[in-house]
Amino acid sequence: EDLGAYSDRVADVFRAAAAAPPSLVFIDEFDSLFPSRDAVDPGQLGASLVSTLCSAFDDLGRRRDPAADNADKLGVVVIAASNRPDVI
């Protein structure tokens, strides 16, 4: 499958969550999304997903209206789970 398709799916999930607050984004096996820091060649997929997730998190913060009464509430909660916290 095309590397861009994975990143597009991640971005779509965050766009959909932001468009329908309150929303919850749950990422299971979070550690498996990213290449090991010790990897010689982390690969394009891992780098692409890292970039997409960072952009998605940034975009969530930009959607906030500082003038609104609920400016501290973004409407999207992101939870990530891992059974390998030592590799995160």
Side-chain angles (χ1 to χ4, degrees):
E1 190 167 349
D2 179 27
L3 293 178
Y6 291 108
S7 291
D8 289 345
R9 282 193 219 154
V10 170
D12 288 346
V13 166
F14 279 88
R15 273 193 294 275
S23 298
L24 171 69
V25 175
F26 179 73
I27 305 170
D28 196 13
E29 297 186 21
F30 188 67
D31 56 284
S32 68
L33 296 177
F34 306 102
S36 168
R37 289 184 180 190
D38 298 331
V40 174
D41 179 16
Q44 290 180 325
L45 179 59
S48 177
L49 286 176
V50 169
S51 177
T52 300
L53 277 174
C54 289
S55 292
F57 292 151
D58 285 346
D59 287 345
L60 289 176
R62 287 190 197 107
R63 294 177 188 273
R64 183 169 62 95
D65 179 1
D69 290 337
N70 63 348
D72 61 329
K73 296 176 180 67
L74 298 177
V76 178
V77 173
V78 179
I79 298 174
S82 173
N83 61 354
R84 300 184 59 204
D86 55 308
V87 297
I88 296 178

